[in-house]
Amino acid sequence: MPHDVSLIATIAAAFGLALILGLLAMKLRLPPLVGYLLAGVVVSPATPGYVADVGLAGQLAEIGVMLLMFGVGLHFSLDDLMAVRRIAVPGAIVQIVVATLLGAGAAMLWGWSGGAAIVFGLCLSVASTVVLLRALEARGLLKSEQGRIAVGWLVVEDLVMVLVLVLLPALSGLLGAPASGTTEAAAAGGSAALWSAIGLTLAKVAAFVVLMLVVGRRLLPRLLWWVARTGSQELFTLGVVATAIGVAFGAAKLFDVSFALGAFFAGMMMRESEFSHRAADETLPLRDAFAVLFFVSVGMLFDPAVLWTEPLRVLSVVLVILVGKTVAAVALVLMLRYSLGTALTVGASLAQIGEFSFILAGLGVTLGLMPAEAQSLVLAGAILSIAVNPALFSLIAPFERWLLARSALARRLEARIEPLSALPISTDEKLLRDQVIVVGHGRVGRPLVQALQERQVPLVVVDLGRERVDRLRAEGLAAVCGDAAEPEVLVQAHVAQAAMLVVTAGDALALRRMVETARTLNPAIRVLLRAASEDEAELLRGEGLGTVLTCERELARGLGQGVIEALGASISPRSA
């Protein structure tokens, strides 16, 4: 038996302590991830007793990031990403600039050089993928409009950080790093070398994206289909995990993009397969387990001594992350005419830092751009912001109510007219009589709308996505942006003249409100609802809300019809 079992020891210590301290955190009404972070501190080199292998823990955590981003890609289509580009791109760039200026300003007050201050500010500007996704999933917001905006925002941040990590060595001489072979060569090359590095980086990222869109979009779903044909569950799981990690590793080695970004695009391309939901379910236990290792590895890098040796600097870092970044994000989202609730959710989502911050801080110290204490301050800011982030999410609803009750400006922001919340005056009147109102233009709503269009059925689409509604209008469809549970939104969809309301998305509470509102405005309207599960469908049927369908039941009905037709019979009304 081999004597070197550092990998096994690290995993055993990480999972064991994470379980114990996670349970203790739950008992104290704290998020479990606080316990995971503390577990890392306990086995870190900064505390007495057993010390786990920091390098191994970091690599295991990287696998968790890959699997998590792959899972997000399986639920996040390219259409979702493009739908939020108008807010995600300017939002991410402006927030990075604001956070970098705030962090750099604090560092300048401490007497650091300009180059060190800029790199330090960049470390504080990018949010953690893992923390964001865990927070959104825990609150069921990952598929919401706020969730899509936050994820799209983070993808843009990741792309910017990839560019920064590649360019930083070339720019280190200009930023004041000590002279070395690399920096002298970069300086000798001048601006030509700089632009060459920028061009090469952009070309690599573009090549990766094009390769995934052209080749990956066709190859990865087909690969999943080939494996599924074997009928082996273990081979299917192996195929999914191998694809996620293999594409992420290849993307990092060949195109210099991050593991997380490579895995995210792999998931988005594999989403085209009909087995994507099964792939997401198969990898869920692995994603959860390795995500715990991510938080433990963060705790292992932290030296608690910085809390009492540099308390004011730690406080400054935390304020930049929790206040500066949040205020900047909230202000920008409001400027782009989104609701106050959306602005607060996006702001809370980004009020933390994580994996890219550690990588950038380590590179800055290695290049001699930042003092060693900068890395400790970044880690302290990450630990504290990650621990506080769940509390920020829980405060969104009460803070919004408090703000609306006391601020006339907040009430005006909430009540202002959304430009796409009303149908254009030029809308054909024929589309607004005996029309079908389709709520949701996602994976289920899109083919339904296409089928209705082919049969020239008059319809109005209601969707929360502003960019999606804008695109539908450009295609000549009548579409309204807003929450169909709100009376004014259904009024704009002319529900009083509608023949049918079809709801393709929404939880049970939202479905009840939509139906109640629609029947108040049009008692004769027919209602067709899609439920998330059979249990939810039974509850909705019991309340008499309308005809309720589930994907599972309709699939079983279609299979039964196919079997009976193949046998030369027909389904009787009773058996149908």
Side-chain angles (χ1 to χ4, degrees):
M1 181 177 178
H3 294 288
D4 186 7
V5 290
S6 56
L7 175 61
I8 298 174
T10 299
I11 293 176
F15 281 144
L17 280 171
L19 174 62
I20 295 170
L21 295 178
L23 288 172
L24 181 60
M26 289 286 288
K27 289 289 185 182
L28 298 175
R29 299 183 181 277
L30 294 172
L33 64 85
V34 174
Y36 307 156
L37 293 169
L38 290 177
V41 174
V42 170
V43 297
S44 72
T47 55
Y50 171 75
V51 177
D53 191 317
V54 178
L56 284 176
Q59 292 186 50
L60 292 170
E62 198 70 67
I63 295 174
V65 174
M66 294 182 207
L67 292 175
L68 195 69
M69 287 302 290
F70 179 75
V72 173
L74 286 172
H75 294 98
F76 200 90
S77 68
L78 187 63
D79 289 341
D80 291 333
L81 191 58
M82 296 304 294
V84 298
R85 68 187 185 280
R86 294 182 184 175
I87 181 173
V89 174
I93 293 173
V94 170
Q95 190 218 266
I96 287 174
V97 171
V98 171
T100 300
L101 291 175
L102 291 173
M108 295 286 282
L109 291 176
W110 302 335
W112 293 8
S113 67
I118 291 173
V119 177
F120 184 71
L122 285 169
C123 292
L124 305 185
S125 67
V126 59
S128 166
T129 299
V130 180
V131 176
L132 170 70
L133 297 177
R134 291 296 289 269
L136 293 175
E137 284 180 335
R139 288 155 185 83
L141 296 174
L142 190 56
K143 297 181 181 179
S144 67
E145 182 71 5
Q146 299 99 315
R148 288 196 294 268
I149 291 172
V151 172
W153 196 304
L154 200 66
V155 169
V156 177
E157 284 191 354
D158 283 357
L159 288 170
V160 172
M161 286 303 118
V162 167
L163 187 64
V164 169
L165 289 171
V166 173
L167 295 180
L168 193 59
L171 293 172
S172 59
L174 298 176
L175 294 173
S180 64
T182 303
T183 56
E184 287 175 358
S191 60
L194 174 60
W195 285 109
S196 175
I198 293 175
L200 181 61
T201 301
L202 293 175
K204 285 183 175 181
V205 173
F208 169 69
V209 173
V210 170
L211 181 66
M212 294 305 294
L213 292 177
V214 175
V215 179
R217 200 169 191 174
R218 293 171 173 81
L219 179 61
L220 295 184
R222 187 174 294 274
L223 174 65
L224 203 61
W225 183 76
W226 285 336
V227 177
R229 283 184 62 189
T230 65
S232 171
Q233 182 174 347
E234 58 196 71
L235 278 178
F236 184 84
T237 304
L238 178 61
V240 172
V241 174
T243 300
I245 297 178
V247 172
F249 180 77
K253 287 298 180 182
L254 298 176
F255 301 98
D256 289 329
V257 303
S258 66
F259 289 125
L261 200 63
F264 175 74
F265 270 91
M268 276 209 308
M269 299 306 101
M270 196 169 277
R271 187 180 186 272
E272 302 297 322
S273 169
E274 63 268 28
F275 299 105
S276 60
H277 286 290
R278 180 182 169 190
D281 293 339
E282 295 286 345
T283 57
L284 183 60
L286 280 173
R287 296 204 311 265
D288 287 343
F290 279 100
V292 170
L293 287 176
F294 167 79
F295 293 108
V296 174
S297 71
V298 171
M300 290 173 66
L301 296 172
F302 179 55
D303 184 0
V306 73
L307 295 176
W308 53 82
T309 58
E310 298 287 353
L312 292 180
R313 293 188 178 185
V314 171
L315 179 62
S316 300
V317 170
V318 172
L319 288 176
V320 169
I321 298 169
L322 295 183
V323 180
K325 289 177 64 179
T326 303
V327 170
V330 169
L332 188 65
V333 174
L334 290 175
M335 286 172 59
L336 293 172
R337 301 190 65 81
Y338 283 81
S339 70
L340 180 62
T342 298
L344 292 175
T345 301
V346 173
S349 299
L350 304 169
Q352 35 80 16
I353 59 173
E355 54 273 14
F356 263 117
S357 303
F358 311 146
I359 298 170
L360 186 56
L363 181 61
V365 172
T366 300
L367 293 172
L369 283 169
M370 295 195 303
E373 67 172 308
Q375 196 165 13
S376 297
L377 290 172
V378 169
L379 286 167
I383 291 281
L384 295 174
S385 64
I386 289 172
V388 171
N389 193 254
L392 290 180
F393 270 96
S394 63
L395 291 174
I396 290 175
F399 179 69
E400 185 179 4
R401 289 194 297 268
W402 180 86
L403 204 59
L404 291 173
R406 289 166 175 79
S407 170
L409 175 60
R411 289 192 291 272
R412 286 198 298 272
L413 290 172
E414 190 71 12
R416 64 189 176 182
I417 298 174
E418 158 66 49
L420 298 175
S421 65
L423 286 174
I425 299 175
S426 58
T427 303
D428 189 347
E429 290 291 333
K430 296 179 181 178
L431 299 177
L432 304 177
R433 186 168 299 278
D434 294 328
Q435 79 276 20
V436 176
I437 299 176
V438 179
V439 178
H441 194 258
R443 197 166 188 174
V444 176
R446 190 180 303 113
L448 170 62
V449 168
Q450 290 174 349
L452 294 176
Q453 280 185 287
E454 290 171 359
R455 291 162 177 79
Q456 298 184 340
V457 176
L459 64 99
V460 177
V461 179
V462 179
D463 195 276
L464 283 168
R466 179 187 299 185
E467 289 81 3
R468 192 174 287 167
V469 170
D470 203 12
R471 186 176 67 249
L472 289 172
R473 289 190 180 184
E475 295 171 359
L477 275 170
V480 176
C481 179
D483 184 354
E486 300 298 329
E488 56 269 22
V489 175
L490 287 179
V491 167
Q492 287 299 324
H494 289 249
V495 69
Q497 290 81 39
M500 178 177 285
L501 173 70
V502 182
V503 184
T504 67
D507 56 27
L509 180 59
L511 293 176
R512 291 185 183 93
R513 291 170 55 203
M514 290 178 199
V515 174
E516 289 171 2
T517 303
R519 285 183 173 161
T520 300
L521 299 171
N522 182 355
I525 194 169
R526 288 176 290 172
V527 177
L528 184 63
L529 306 174
R530 175 205 172 198
S533 66
E534 192 59 42
D535 291 338
E536 182 179 289
E538 289 301 323
L539 289 174
L540 296 174
R541 292 188 189 106
E543 296 178 18
L545 295 183
T547 303
V548 185
L549 304 176
T550 61
C551 295
E552 292 81 2
R553 172 168 289 199
E554 294 311 304
L555 176 60
R557 189 191 300 269
L559 289 172
Q561 180 73 46
V563 169
I564 293 175
E565 287 179 354
L567 295 175
S570 61
I571 298 180
S572 65
R574 180 179 179 82
S575 60

